[in-house]
Amino acid sequence: QVQLVESGGGLVQAGESLRLSCAGSGSISAINAMGWYRQAPGKQRELVALINRGGSTKYSDSVKGRFTISRDNPKNTVYLQMNSLKPEDSAVYYCAAGLCIGCRTAYWGQGTQVTVSS
C-alpha cells in the first residue's frame, strides 16, 4: 500500500502563485510516476501534470507554461508550482501515483482545495 498526503492548497487571487506538495510513504518503491489531477464542481477529474523518477513530465495543455511539476526522489515527494493562477484553476487537486506516466492511477491522495478569486 502507498499513502499520499497533500499540502499547500488555499485561497489566492488571480495572477498569484501556490505550491502544492505531496509526500508518499509505504510501498512507494514500486511507484514510478507521481503527479496531480484536479476536479472542479460538476466536472470530471482531469490530468494536471505527471512526472516519473527519471524526470520525464506530462502536462495538460491548459497549464503548460504556468505550472511546473518537480520531484524529490529520496523524499518521495512531488511538488506542483502553480503560477499565474486563473479562476478556472479552482478545483480540488488530488495527488496521484502509478506505475508509469500513462498507466492507470493506482493510488490517490485525499485532495486539497485550490480556490482562485477574480
Side-chain angles (χ1 to χ4, degrees):
Q1 281 285 17
V2 172
Q3 295 78 43
L4 303 172
V5 178
E6 303 109 329
S7 61
L11 171 65
V12 296
Q13 293 188 332
E16 294 185 340
S17 300
L18 273 178
R19 188 192 195 208
L20 304 182
S21 300
C22 172
S25 61
S27 302
I28 197 72
S29 61
I31 295 298
N32 185 26
M34 293 180 68
W36 300 89
Y37 285 72
R38 67 186 181 187
Q39 187 168 20
K43 295 187 177 182
Q44 288 189 332
R45 191 172 297 189
E46 63 175 0
L47 169 71
V48 177
L50 293 171
I51 186 169
N52 65 17
R53 288 186 181 275
S56 295
T57 59
K58 179 178 181 178
Y59 290 94
S60 164
D61 287 344
S62 63
V63 306
K64 281 181 182 177
R66 299 189 297 123
F67 292 10
T68 301
I69 191 168
S70 60
R71 183 169 177 166
D72 186 331
N73 287 327
K75 294 183 178 179
N76 294 314
T77 300
V78 63
Y79 305 96
L80 186 68
Q81 178 66 41
M82 304 185 293
N83 298 329
S84 302
L85 282 161
K86 304 175 181 180
E88 51 264 43
D89 294 317
S90 297
V92 177
Y93 282 68
Y94 295 92
C95 185
L99 293 179
C100 69
I101 292 177
C103 294
R104 179 186 64 86
T105 297
Y107 301 97
W108 295 98
Q110 80 284 0
T112 184
Q113 179 71 47
V114 172
T115 304
V116 185
S117 63
S118 57

